[in-house]
Amino acid sequence: MLELLWFVPTIPFLSFLILVFLGAKMSKKAAAIVGVGFVGISAVIAVAIGIQFMVSPPEGDAFTQTLWTWIGVGAFQPAFSFHLDSLSLLMTLVVTVVGFLIHLYSVEYMADDESYARFFAYMNLFITMMLMLVLGSNLLLLYLGWEGVGLCSYLLIGYWYKDPVNGYAARKAFVVTRIGDTAMAIGLFLLFTQLGTLNIQELLGKASLQWTTGSGYAVAAAALLLGGAVGKSAQLPLQTWLPDAMAGPTPVSALIHAATMVTAGVYLIARTNVIFTLAPAVQLAVAIVGVATLLIAGFSALVQRDIKRVLAYSTISQIGYMFLGLGVGAYSAAMFHFMTHAFFKALLFLAAGAVILAQHHKQDMFEMGGLKDKLPTTFWTFLAGSAALAAVPLISSGFYSKDAILWYSLTSKSGSAWLWLGGVLGAFITGLYTFRMVFLTFYGESKTEVEHKPGLSIKIPLVVLGVLAIIGGFVEMPHSMGHFAPLGHFLHTTLPEVHVFHKSIGTEVLFQLIAAVLALSGIYLAYLFYHKEPRLAHKVAQYPGAPKLRRFLFSGWRFDWLYDKVFIQPLLWFTRVNKQDAVDYIYQGIAYTSQGFNMLFRQTQTGKVRFYAAGIAVGAVVTIAIVVFL
C-alpha cells in the first residue's frame, strides 16, 4: 500500500488538468464529480496508507519513494521523491480528509457560481501543491509546493476578480508572502552551499555534525527559514495579508486557514527542527513572535464586525500558539494543535458560510441574530467549533492541544513565565471574541430573514467536523488525566521530545485550572456584554478614548498604515524622483541615435530617379578615386 503514495498528490493534479482543459464543456454535476470525487479518492488512499503505516511501520519509521531524478547538475541530483514519516503522514491526512470535506461543502455553496469548473480546478491544484510541500523529500520539491500554494492563494483569493477589492486582496497576499519566500529562498542557497545537499534528512544530519550550537551559519539559516514561515503563516510582521484574504469564497477561506497555506510555516519549522535547535536565539524568537502575534490578533478580533474577519484574526492567533509551541521545543504539542485547529477552524468557516448564505450574503454580525432555532444544525456545529477554539475545559479538542502548549511554555527548558502569561492572556481573549461572535450571530433578535437553509452537502461536513472538534483532543491527554498520548508517541518517531523541568501533577492541575478559569471568564464576559446586558458593551464603547482604541484595533494595529508610510510611499517617491535616471538616458540616447540614422537613410529612398542617378555617379567617382590614388 505504501507504494501508492505517489497517487495521493497525483490524483488531485489529474482532476485539475481535466477541469482546466475540459471544464468549459462539462456540466456542473460532472465538474463536481471530478472536483470532489478525485480528492475523495486521494483521501481514501491516504487513510489506507496511514493505517498500514501505523499498524506495520516501515524500517526506520519512514518510507521514501523516488520517482525520478528531477535535476542533475554535477553532484547536485535532487530527486522528485516523497518522504513519509509520522509528521508528513499527519499533515497528509489532514490536508486530504479536511480538504475533501471542504470540497463536498463547496458543491452546494458554489452552486450558483458561473465558473464552477474553474473553482474546483484551483481548489484541486491547491491540494496538490500542499501535498507536494508536506511530502517532498528535499527542500527543492518542498519549495515547489511552497510557491505553488502561494500561486493558488492568489488565484482563489481573487477568484471573484471582477470586484477590484478582491483583486487587491489577492495581490496583497501574493506580494506580502513573497517577502518571506525570498528569505526562504536565500536560506536554501545558504544551506546548499554550506552542507552540499537539499535532501532534508541528509541536510539535518550534516547540520548536526558540522555546526555547533549557536553557529553563525545555523543562526542565519534558521532566521531565513523563519522569515519564510512568518510570511506563509501570517505571523508578525507579515500578518497583514490574511484578514484581507477573506475576499475569496468561504470554502477558500476554510482551506487556506485550516488545512493548507497558513500551516505551511508551522510544518517548515517542525520539519527543520534540528536547525532551529542549533540556533537557540532564533528558536526563542519563534516563541516570542508566536506570543506577540496571538495577542495582537486576539485584540483585533475583539472589535471586528465581519464574521469571517473575526475567524481570520483567530487563525493568526492560533497559529501564534503553534509558533509558541515550536519555539519552546514542544514540536509534537504544536502539531497536535495544528490537527485540532484544522478540525474546528474548517468547521467554523464552513458554518459561517452557511450563515452567510442564509443571511443574503451579509457578513456583518450586527445585522444577524436569532439564528439559533432557524439553523439548528449550523448552530450546534458552530457551537462545537467555538468551544474548541475557546478551549472549553474537558469537552473540546482545543482545550487539550492548547493546554499542552501552555504547559510546555512554562515547564520546558526553553520556556518562561512571560511566555506562559502571554499564552493564558490570549486564552482569555479568545474566549471573549469567540463567544461574542456566537451571541451576536445566533442569539437576540432576528434582523434578517433566512434566505437559504443548508442541504446535505453542507450539513455532512459540518457534522463530521463538529464531532472531530469535540473528540479530536482525546488522542493526547495530559499527565494529570492519565497521559494517554498515542499521537505524541507516534510523532516522536520523527520529532524530538520536549525537555522539561519536572513538575508535580498538582502543579499541572493548578495551571490547567488557571487557564480554564480565564477561558471561561472570557466566555462569561461575552455572555454578559453581548447577550444578557448589551447596554454594558455600548456603555464601555462610550468611554473617553474607546472609539480611537477601537479604530486602532479594528485596523489591525494600523500595520497597513505603518507599512504604507515606511515602505510604500518612500518607494513611490523615489521612483518619481528617479524616473529619468542615468540608465534611462543611455537607452534614450540609443533610441534617439536610431531615429537619427532612420531619418538619414530614409532620404536615400525618395523614389526620385535623378537622385538615384546622381548617387550612382558620385559613388562611381569616389570608387575610381580610391582605386587611382590609394
Side-chain angles (χ1 to χ4, degrees):
M1 183 60 72
L2 295 179
E3 288 72 20
L4 298 180
L5 180 62
W6 68 278
F7 277 100
V8 177
T10 301
I11 291 175
F13 184 68
L14 180 60
S15 67
F16 161 73
L17 295 177
I18 293 172
L19 291 168
V20 164
F21 291 107
L22 302 177
K25 301 178 182 179
M26 298 170 69
S27 65
K28 284 189 174 181
K29 183 177 180 180
I33 290 173
V34 173
V36 180
F38 279 51
V39 175
I41 294 171
S42 179
V44 169
I45 295 174
V47 170
I49 289 173
I51 292 172
Q52 180 181 345
F53 189 96
M54 288 181 279
V55 171
S56 180
E59 184 178 353
D61 293 307
F63 171 76
T64 300
Q65 183 178 52
T66 302
L67 302 181
W68 62 79
T69 299
W70 187 7
I71 301 170
V73 182
F76 183 54
Q77 301 282 330
F80 205 97
S81 63
F82 302 127
H83 181 82
L84 189 69
D85 55 19
S86 58
L87 176 60
S88 56
L89 177 59
L90 175 65
M91 295 289 296
T92 298
L93 290 174
V94 169
V95 170
T96 54
V97 174
V98 176
F100 167 71
L101 293 172
I102 294 171
H103 275 66
L104 179 61
Y105 172 96
S106 302
V107 172
E108 182 177 340
Y109 189 89
M110 300 297 293
D112 296 330
D113 191 79
E114 59 184 14
S115 302
Y116 204 61
R118 179 168 65 91
F119 174 80
F120 281 110
Y122 292 167
M123 292 280 279
N124 287 3
L125 182 61
F126 210 160
I127 294 288
T128 301
M129 289 297 119
M130 190 64 190
L131 290 170
M132 287 283 187
L133 191 160
V134 302
L135 288 172
S137 67
N138 60 76
L139 289 174
L140 189 61
L141 187 56
L142 183 152
Y143 194 68
L144 172 66
W146 187 275
E147 292 297 338
V149 296
L151 169 64
C152 293
S153 70
Y154 169 78
L155 295 173
L156 285 166
I157 294 169
Y159 177 75
W160 288 318
Y161 59 88
K162 294 180 181 179
D163 187 340
V165 173
N166 298 342
Y168 171 78
R171 292 193 303 275
K172 182 178 180 181
F174 194 78
V175 170
V176 172
T177 55
R178 289 290 77 71
I179 299 170
D181 294 354
T182 302
M184 180 180 172
I186 297 171
L188 298 192
F189 282 115
L190 173 63
L191 289 170
F192 178 73
T193 55
Q194 296 303 313
L195 302 175
T197 182
L198 287 180
N199 180 281
I200 296 173
Q201 304 308 312
E202 293 179 11
L203 183 145
L204 297 181
K206 287 186 176 183
S208 61
L209 291 174
Q210 297 182 23
W211 291 345
T212 58
T213 301
S215 160
Y217 286 125
V219 170
L224 290 166
L225 293 177
L226 175 59
V230 298
K232 275 290 187 287
S233 292
Q235 298 293 286
L236 282 171
L238 300 179
Q239 81 286 3
T240 57
W241 67 270
L242 193 57
D244 291 339
M246 298 303 96
T250 299
V252 172
S253 303
L255 194 61
I256 289 176
H257 289 246
T260 55
M261 186 167 171
V262 296
T263 60
V266 176
Y267 172 76
L268 176 66
I269 295 175
R271 175 56 74 192
T272 57
N273 62 84
V274 172
I275 295 173
F276 284 86
T277 302
L278 292 170
V282 180
Q283 189 168 22
L284 176 61
V286 174
I288 293 172
V289 165
V291 169
T293 304
L294 72 88
L295 290 174
I296 286 174
F299 279 113
S300 292
L302 283 173
V303 298
Q304 301 301 313
R305 298 177 64 96
D306 185 322
I307 188 171
K308 287 178 65 177
R309 287 184 74 89
V310 174
L311 294 174
Y313 278 110
S314 80
T315 296
I316 298 173
S317 181
Q318 297 307 302
I319 299 291
Y321 275 105
M322 298 176 209
F323 269 58
L324 173 58
L326 296 169
V328 298
Y331 295 102
S332 61
M335 297 312 299
F336 178 32
H337 195 56
F338 151 76
M339 183 189 75
T340 61
H341 177 263
F343 298 151
F344 65 71
K345 187 51 61 65
L347 169 61
L348 287 169
F349 267 109
L350 298 185
V355 170
I356 291 167
L357 278 182
Q359 298 287 275
H360 305 268
H361 292 276
K362 292 181 179 179
Q363 297 181 195
D364 190 333
M365 296 181 295
F366 287 86
E367 296 180 9
M368 299 176 185
L371 298 176
K372 176 177 177 292
D373 297 322
K374 296 178 180 179
L375 300 171
T377 303
T378 303
F379 166 70
W380 287 108
T381 53
F382 194 93
L383 187 62
S386 298
L389 173 58
V392 173
L394 304 179
I395 63 169
S396 69
S397 62
F399 167 74
Y400 296 100
S401 59
K402 192 178 292 185
D403 172 72
I405 291 174
L406 291 175
W407 176 243
Y408 289 129
S409 71
L410 180 68
T411 61
S412 79
K413 293 182 179 179
S414 302
S416 74
W418 290 108
L419 295 175
W420 177 82
L421 281 171
V424 294
L425 176 58
F428 168 76
I429 298 168
T430 303
L432 179 54
Y433 73 67
T434 300
F435 277 82
R436 168 183 178 264
M437 177 173 56
V438 171
F439 291 123
L440 287 175
T441 304
F442 292 98
Y443 288 84
E445 289 185 19
S446 176
K447 301 179 182 68
T448 306
E449 289 300 316
V450 172
E451 178 185 46
H452 176 276
K453 291 193 175 182
L456 279 179
S457 67
I458 288 181
K459 287 182 177 179
I460 290 173
L462 292 183
V463 172
V464 172
L465 290 169
V467 172
L468 292 173
I470 296 299
I471 69 171
F474 298 129
V475 296
E476 189 74 10
M477 305 291 285
H479 288 83
S480 60
M481 299 181 187
H483 196 48
F484 174 71
L487 178 64
H489 294 315
F490 180 62
L491 289 174
H492 287 153
T493 60
T494 301
L495 299 173
E497 293 192 44
V498 59
H499 300 289
V500 299
F501 296 107
H502 292 289
K503 304 285 185 181
S504 67
I505 296 296
T507 303
E508 184 175 8
V509 171
L510 173 63
F511 283 98
Q512 285 171 344
L513 286 174
I514 293 172
V517 168
L518 285 171
L520 293 174
S521 298
I523 295 172
Y524 175 73
L525 279 184
Y527 166 76
L528 189 64
F529 279 79
Y530 298 100
H531 181 58
K532 187 178 181 181
E533 298 288 346
R535 59 184 177 81
L536 292 177
H538 181 73
K539 187 176 180 180
V540 170
Q542 304 306 313
Y543 283 168
K548 287 185 178 180
L549 177 61
R550 181 189 175 281
R551 287 194 297 271
F552 177 72
L553 296 177
F554 184 82
S555 66
W557 295 56
R558 303 200 73 185
F559 272 92
D560 283 318
W561 175 87
L562 176 64
Y563 293 160
D564 181 69
K565 297 297 182 185
V566 174
F567 298 111
I568 298 174
Q569 294 302 325
L571 180 61
L572 292 176
W573 173 84
F574 179 75
T575 56
R576 287 192 296 268
V577 170
N578 199 44
K579 186 176 182 180
Q580 300 294 333
D581 61 4
V583 175
D584 288 337
Y585 287 135
I586 294 172
Y587 293 107
Q588 286 174 358
I590 294 173
Y592 291 144
T593 302
S594 298
Q595 288 177 345
F597 278 113
N598 173 263
M599 294 176 64
L600 178 64
F601 292 138
R602 191 172 62 188
Q603 299 304 315
T604 67
Q605 301 295 323
T606 61
K608 297 177 180 180
V609 177
R610 61 179 179 273
F611 288 117
Y612 296 162
I616 293 171
V618 171
V621 170
V622 171
T623 302
I624 292 170
I626 291 173
V627 171
V628 171
F629 295 106
L630 298 178

